[in-house]
Amino acid sequence: MKSLNKQPIGVFDSGIGGLTVVKALKKVLPYEDIVYFGDTARLPYGSKSSPTIIRFALQDAKFLVNRQVKMIIVACHSVSSVALPDLKKHFRLPIIGVIEPGAKAAVQASKNNCIGIIGTQATILAGAYERAIKNLNRQVEIVARSTPLFVPLAEQGWTTGPIALQIAKTYLTPMIGEKIDTLLLGCTHYPLLKNTIAKVFKQKVRIVDAALETALETKIILQAKKLLNPQKLAGTMKFYLSDLTPNFSSIGRQFLGADLTEVFRASISE
Amino acid sequence: MKSLNKQPIGVFDSGIGGLTVVKALKKVLPYEDIVYFGDTARLPYGSKSSPTIIRFALQDAKFLVNRQVKMIIVACHSVSSVALPDLKKHFRLPIIGVIEPGAKAAVQASKNNCIGIIGTQATILAGAYERAIKNLNRQVEIVARSTPLFVPLAEQGWTTGPIALQIAKTYLTPMIGEKIDTLLLGCTHYPLLKNTIAKVFKQKVRIVDAALETALETKIILQAKKLLNPQKLAGTMKFYLSDLTPNFSSIGRQFLGADLTEVFRASISE
């Protein structure tokens, strides 16, 4: 058996949106192996109730633990906002979500202490970003809004152009009057719409994407626990999906910025 | 135990879109009791592979059979297009989908034998509508297109206005040049967008909605099998959902045209 530091990092998401986190990991930690699980048979999690999201998250994490990962990144905002305490109770290895790193970066970026947050309905209703930000700085004012159409828009590939801009304007124009100087993209799909979102705000806000912040936080944790892979070889990537949907390879390429080569179908037992 | 003709009609869908079929049933068969199952924990089916859709459909039908229904309506185009033969093999009671009734009505409506079909990617890729139409009339020309953003658009409630119209134009304008005189709405969500879709075509096509046709076909089958409920009392409705999502009651009201009163959470075992 491999020594622990040579084991892969486990990443999971409700679907393939979490590949934006994998993309950031490859930049920050190029020597790490990555095992990804995407629960494409049961996506999206964003519209599901908290008990269901927790039940699915425990199954997803167990799948990765069975593949001997040294750490788990929850690359799903819905899971990070409702299931992280349960995950940490059930498993002993380091587990981080995308909420804390995103919240920290947003608080650091904001100068007027007024931050906007957008995400799926589950993420916004759960209020986890608000709690995480308030924990860091009680003075911060928060304007939160759910923007559910951004996910299917990114998956359709309509990330620029008049339709994307009009949907972004409909969701975000009310936020312009709220004097936010920083906008946190609270969903893994949203970085693909970053340019369109920036157009609505006309460069008046800093846009913080949690994916890169999560990758940097992962590096800090692996260093602290002496779990960085000592081998200086480009890391491998394995992708497990609970359903090989007709679109996964084209959407995956868009999110990862590279082809998904080693892809396997994985069954999740209830 | 009740006699068979007094048992309810079972209806299932991947989510709550199938409530448009329930709405049509209440019009056509007001004295029938209805048991509805919506697999909200695992929706949408439209983006899933055929083996997964078949597996889920068998579980959904079993759930209804266990509730002593006298007939099953598959109010989901994705399931109707890929899983109907498997369902009919596994269960003995009458089972109909939304494909055949929709196909029949479209063939009858078209005068120039050129029919357009829109639906989710799974429905369009499966080609079940094309086969059903060709079985009825080999001369019909078919123009099919997947329009996946219509589902989240209907659920967001943006069924009219500039965004809905622009998305409809983007998907449908290429169909205008194809001389279709009839358009089949191949997804239970799409009737909510009927007016917007009609605007794109400027009344030059007949729009056929499968929900009403399916309800009429159900009546014919129940009559033929002497299974119509003899009691002349307004039928009851029970709704089982695999997840009580935050939105189900507001979206449900929109689709059903009435409040969902008796709603229960139902577990589906794998």
Side-chain angles (χ1 to χ4, degrees):
Chain A
M1 189 166 156
K2 281 186 196 173
S3 62
L4 191 56
N5 56 7
K6 289 181 189 159
Q7 304 293 355
I9 297 170
V11 181
F12 79 87
D13 179 28
S14 56
I16 49 193
L19 293 176
T20 56
V21 176
V22 174
K23 188 181 178 184
L25 280 173
K26 292 305 291 177
K27 259 193 215 163
V28 176
L29 293 163
Y31 306 129
E32 297 296 333
D33 295 337
I34 295 169
V35 175
Y36 183 90
F37 175 69
D39 196 5
T40 44
R42 303 189 294 194
L43 71 79
Y45 286 7
S47 55
K48 293 178 176 49
S49 66
S50 296
T52 297
I53 294 173
I54 291 168
R55 187 160 56 90
F56 287 2
L58 291 171
Q59 294 165 355
D60 302 341
K62 196 177 161 207
F63 177 88
L64 291 173
V65 166
N66 289 345
R67 261 134 212 95
Q68 276 81 45
V69 298
K70 60 185 172 188
M71 175 170 178
I72 288 178
I73 302 174
V74 179
C76 171
H77 285 76
S78 304
V79 173
S80 298
S81 43
V82 304
L84 217 51
D86 291 83
L87 286 168
K88 287 183 174 170
K89 227 181 282 167
H90 277 76
F91 300 100
R92 290 191 174 189
L93 74 177
I95 300 180
I96 65 163
V98 279
I99 304 282
E100 302 285 335
K104 217 189 286 180
V107 169
Q108 284 167 358
S110 177
K111 291 185 178 171
N112 72 352
N113 282 349
C114 188
I115 296 172
I117 307 169
I118 54 173
T120 65
Q121 197 174 38
T123 301
I124 297 305
L125 284 178
Y129 266 117
E130 301 197 39
R131 281 194 300 280
I133 287 173
K134 291 281 186 191
N135 274 346
L136 294 165
N137 183 347
R138 292 205 148 270
Q139 310 301 316
V140 172
E141 256 183 79
I142 294 164
V143 181
R145 167 124 216 220
S146 69
T147 53
L149 265 171
F150 282 175
V151 167
L153 209 52
E155 294 190 351
Q156 174 80 65
W158 293 355
T159 53
T160 57
I163 289 172
L165 187 62
Q166 201 155 5
I167 290 175
K169 274 183 180 165
T170 304
Y171 281 136
L172 304 175
T173 305
M175 282 183 136
I176 293 176
E178 301 279 354
K179 72 181 170 57
I180 59 166
D181 75 341
T182 302
L183 181 73
L184 185 50
L185 306 185
C187 173
T188 49
H189 281 60
Y190 295 2
L192 282 88
L193 286 152
K194 197 176 167 182
N195 291 338
T196 297
I197 292 166
K199 260 189 200 169
V200 178
F201 289 101
K202 292 173 184 132
Q203 277 75 43
K204 280 175 199 153
V205 303
R206 276 174 215 87
I207 295 178
V208 172
D209 160 23
L212 185 68
E213 306 299 329
T214 303
L216 292 167
E217 184 74 18
T218 302
K219 188 176 181 179
I220 290 169
I221 291 171
L222 291 179
Q223 271 171 333
K225 299 194 179 280
K226 301 200 192 309
L227 284 175
L228 281 173
N229 194 334
Q231 292 182 319
K232 298 286 178 265
L233 294 164
T236 61
M237 291 191 283
K238 275 187 187 168
F239 303 96
Y240 294 88
L241 302 174
S242 54
D243 187 28
L244 300 182
T245 51
N247 276 342
F248 81 85
S249 66
S250 65
I251 302 180
R253 192 183 309 120
Q254 214 180 325
F255 281 61
L256 184 65
D259 280 325
L260 280 68
T261 45
E262 287 199 77
V263 180
F264 309 91
R265 159 101 162 74
S267 281
I268 286 284
S269 50
E270 288 275 337
Chain B
M1 190 164 156
K2 281 187 198 173
S3 62
L4 191 56
N5 56 6
K6 290 181 189 161
Q7 303 294 356
I9 298 171
V11 181
F12 79 88
D13 179 29
S14 57
I16 47 194
L19 293 176
T20 55
V21 176
V22 175
K23 189 182 177 185
L25 280 174
K26 292 305 290 178
K27 258 191 217 166
V28 176
L29 294 163
Y31 306 129
E32 298 296 331
D33 295 337
I34 295 170
V35 175
Y36 183 89
F37 175 69
D39 196 5
T40 44
R42 304 189 292 195
L43 69 82
Y45 287 6
S47 55
K48 293 178 178 46
S49 66
S50 296
T52 297
I53 293 172
I54 291 168
R55 189 160 53 90
F56 287 2
L58 291 171
Q59 294 164 356
D60 302 342
K62 198 180 159 204
F63 177 88
L64 291 174
V65 167
N66 289 344
R67 262 136 212 92
Q68 275 81 44
V69 298
K70 61 184 171 189
M71 175 172 176
I72 289 179
I73 301 173
V74 179
C76 171
H77 284 77
S78 304
V79 173
S80 297
S81 43
V82 303
L84 216 49
D86 292 82
L87 286 169
K88 287 182 173 172
K89 228 181 282 168
H90 277 77
F91 301 100
R92 290 192 175 187
L93 73 178
I95 300 180
I96 65 163
V98 279
I99 304 285
E100 302 285 336
K104 217 189 285 180
V107 169
Q108 282 166 359
S110 177
K111 291 185 179 173
N112 72 352
N113 281 349
C114 187
I115 296 172
I117 306 168
I118 54 173
T120 65
Q121 197 174 39
T123 301
I124 298 304
L125 284 179
Y129 267 117
E130 301 197 39
R131 279 195 301 279
I133 288 172
K134 292 280 187 192
N135 274 347
L136 294 165
N137 182 350
R138 291 205 150 271
Q139 311 301 319
V140 171
E141 257 184 81
I142 294 164
V143 180
R145 168 124 214 223
S146 69
T147 55
L149 266 171
F150 282 175
V151 168
L153 208 53
E155 294 191 351
Q156 174 80 66
W158 294 354
T159 52
T160 56
I163 288 172
L165 187 61
Q166 203 155 6
I167 290 175
K169 274 184 182 165
T170 305
Y171 281 136
L172 304 175
T173 304
M175 283 183 137
I176 294 177
E178 300 279 354
K179 72 179 169 60
I180 59 166
D181 75 342
T182 302
L183 181 71
L184 184 49
L185 306 185
C187 173
T188 49
H189 281 60
Y190 296 2
L192 282 90
L193 287 151
K194 196 176 167 182
N195 290 339
T196 297
I197 291 166
K199 262 190 200 169
V200 177
F201 289 102
K202 291 172 186 132
Q203 277 75 43
K204 278 175 201 152
V205 303
R206 274 174 216 87
I207 295 179
V208 171
D209 159 22
L212 185 67
E213 305 301 328
T214 303
L216 292 168
E217 184 74 18
T218 301
K219 189 175 179 180
I220 291 169
I221 291 171
L222 290 179
Q223 271 172 332
K225 296 191 182 282
K226 304 200 189 312
L227 285 175
L228 282 173
N229 194 333
Q231 292 183 318
K232 296 286 178 267
L233 294 165
T236 62
M237 290 191 283
K238 277 188 184 166
F239 303 97
Y240 294 88
L241 301 174
S242 56
D243 187 28
L244 300 181
T245 51
N247 275 344
F248 81 86
S249 67
S250 66
I251 301 180
R253 193 181 310 120
Q254 214 181 323
F255 281 60
L256 184 65
D259 280 325
L260 279 67
T261 45
E262 286 199 77
V263 179
F264 309 90
R265 158 100 161 75
S267 281
I268 285 285
S269 50
E270 287 275 338

